[in-house]
């Protein structure tokens, strides 16, 4: 007697292009992304006294520290923009990028137990991390918006049409964090100490990014090198659009865009290559 032929609902294959992000497959697992985002969001408030208030406390105290140290003691230029608003903008953007980068960089190491038991597109995990941090960014952006309206009424900021580029700037930061994060996540499957190097590197990278100073404060070779920092165009465009101050130019943002999508492509290739065999080395 012939056995009935089995019909599979899904076939898992390892033969795919290294440049393929498999976004169609990721979309099918959108519910899983939602669950991961919800898990990350809820876990942030477990066993905490103040809960979501921590999202406000971090940028407020960091901004005040920068205001005292860099604004008053070091007296660094803010291109004429209100100092507290200038620093808050930099802190808010930097928090989103750095938290997304450090989160995605540990994708394989942190989720090895889950990856070894069940199949789903591995890209779901770093994407959920980027989205989780986007929610935190939204909360901090609300704080920035309240303060910005106050200075707008006082006439101390001069916003312009580049405000409309804000969603694109956030996408660029997410793509940058995702691309570099996938590269480091792939490397940490074999070299465990890369994570420590990344943490140190991210701390130094902040001072190479116009978080606490404008690009106009740099001179000579340092100014030229800053143009090739992918975050320079993003930070300068955001501050120029919302505060109306700064030395922003379209080519600066163009350079950032090109470098970021190049790194995203490299990260995709490495991530797709490593995900096939990472369980043997993690």
């Amino acid at each position: 007697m012939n056995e009935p032929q089995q019909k599979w609902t899904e076939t898992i294959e390892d033969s795919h292009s290294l440049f393929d992000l498999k976004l169609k497959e990721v979309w099918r697992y959108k519910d899983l992304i939602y669950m991961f985002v919800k898990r990350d969001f809820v876990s942030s408030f477990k066993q905490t006294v103040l809960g979501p208030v921590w999202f406000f406390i971090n940028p407020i105290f960091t901004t005040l520290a920068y205001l005292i140290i860099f604004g008053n003691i070091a007296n660094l230029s803010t291109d004429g923009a209100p100092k507290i608003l200038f620093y808050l903008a930099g802190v808010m953007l930097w928090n989103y990028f750095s938290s997304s980068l450090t989160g995605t960089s540990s994708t394989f190491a942190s989720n090895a137990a889950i990856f070894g038991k069940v199949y789903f597109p591995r890209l779901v995990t770093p994407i959920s991390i980027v989205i989780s941090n986007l929610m935190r960014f939204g909360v901090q952006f609300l704080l920035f918006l309240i303060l910005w309206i106050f200075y707008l009424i006082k006439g101390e900021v001069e916003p312009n049409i580049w405000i409309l580029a804000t969603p694109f700037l956030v996408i660029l930061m997410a793509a940058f964090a995702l691309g570099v994060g996938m590269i480091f996540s792939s490397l940490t499957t074999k070299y465990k100490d890369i994570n420590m190097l990344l943490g140190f590197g991210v701390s130094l990278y902040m001072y190479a990014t116009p978080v606490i100073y404008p690009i106009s404060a740099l001179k000579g070779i340092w100014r030229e090198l800053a143009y090739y920092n992918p975050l320079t165009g993003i930070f300068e465009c955001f501050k120029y659009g919302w505060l109306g101050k700064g030395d922003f130019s379209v080519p600066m943002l163009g350079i950032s865009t090109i470098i970021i999508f190049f790194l995203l492509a490299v990260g995709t290739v490495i991530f797709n290559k490593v995900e096939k065999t990472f369980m043997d080395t993690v």
Side-chain angles (χ1 to χ4, degrees):
M1 183 176 179
N2 294 329
E3 294 183 0
Q5 187 176 2
Q6 292 180 326
K7 295 182 178 180
W8 303 102
T9 58
E10 184 170 357
T11 303
I12 301 174
E13 299 176 338
D14 64 353
S15 56
H16 61 268
S17 171
L18 291 178
F19 288 96
D20 184 15
L21 280 174
K22 298 178 287 186
L23 294 181
K24 185 181 294 185
E25 188 179 11
V26 169
W27 176 251
R28 289 171 52 197
Y29 285 82
K30 58 184 178 295
D31 292 335
L32 183 59
I33 295 178
Y34 169 76
M35 291 177 61
F36 280 152
V37 171
K38 183 179 179 181
R39 178 201 63 182
D40 293 341
F41 194 76
V42 172
S43 64
S44 299
F45 307 135
K46 281 187 176 181
Q47 297 180 334
T48 61
V49 176
L50 300 179
V53 178
W54 284 112
F55 288 166
F56 291 101
I57 292 177
N58 181 287
I60 289 175
F61 278 88
T62 305
T63 300
L64 291 176
Y66 288 173
L67 179 63
I68 295 171
I69 298 172
F70 300 110
N72 295 332
I73 298 177
N75 198 28
L76 295 182
S77 169
T78 59
D79 278 341
K83 290 184 178 181
I84 191 168
L85 204 57
F86 180 89
Y87 292 128
L88 180 58
V91 168
M92 176 184 64
L93 295 174
W94 178 257
N95 282 348
Y96 175 65
F97 168 74
S98 61
S99 58
S100 297
L101 174 57
T102 53
T104 56
S105 66
S106 60
T107 296
F108 287 125
S110 300
N111 298 278
I114 301 177
F115 290 168
K117 294 178 180 178
V118 62
Y119 171 79
F120 58 87
R122 306 313 186 199
L123 195 61
V124 162
T125 306
I127 287 179
S128 67
I129 293 172
V130 169
I131 296 176
S132 296
N133 286 303
L134 185 61
M135 297 174 66
R136 297 182 177 90
F137 173 80
V139 174
Q140 296 180 6
F141 182 75
L142 179 62
L143 174 64
F144 170 81
L145 197 60
I146 293 172
L147 195 60
W148 177 79
I149 292 175
F150 171 76
Y151 280 100
L152 180 65
I153 295 174
K154 290 180 64 177
E156 295 187 29
V157 293
E158 302 171 356
N160 53 61
I161 196 171
W162 282 100
I163 279 182
L164 300 178
T166 301
F168 177 65
L169 300 179
V170 175
I171 291 173
L172 282 181
M173 282 194 297
F176 187 28
L178 187 62
V180 178
M182 287 193 296
I183 294 174
F184 277 93
S185 180
S186 302
L187 292 174
T188 53
T189 61
K190 190 173 182 180
Y191 307 104
K192 308 299 181 183
D193 55 346
I194 292 293
N195 256 340
M196 292 184 287
L197 178 63
L198 177 64
F200 178 69
V202 169
S203 299
L204 291 180
Y205 186 39
M206 190 197 78
Y207 295 101
T209 301
V211 176
I212 57 176
Y213 57 84
I215 191 69
S216 60
L218 300 177
K219 305 298 180 183
I221 185 67
W222 300 111
R223 184 184 179 92
E224 294 178 12
L225 290 175
Y227 270 74
Y228 294 96
N229 176 355
L231 291 181
T232 296
I234 297 173
F235 279 56
E236 288 295 303
C237 180
F238 183 90
K239 292 176 181 178
Y240 178 74
W242 287 90
L243 308 182
K245 308 291 183 180
D247 190 15
F248 169 73
S249 65
V250 176
M252 181 190 299
L253 185 60
I255 292 173
S256 296
T257 303
I258 293 171
I259 295 175
I260 286 172
F261 281 102
F262 170 76
L263 290 174
L264 181 61
V266 173
T268 300
V269 171
I270 297 176
F271 189 88
N272 283 340
K273 186 175 181 180
V274 170
E275 72 168 343
K276 301 177 184 179
T277 59
F278 86 96
M279 287 303 296
D280 298 330
T281 55
V282 72

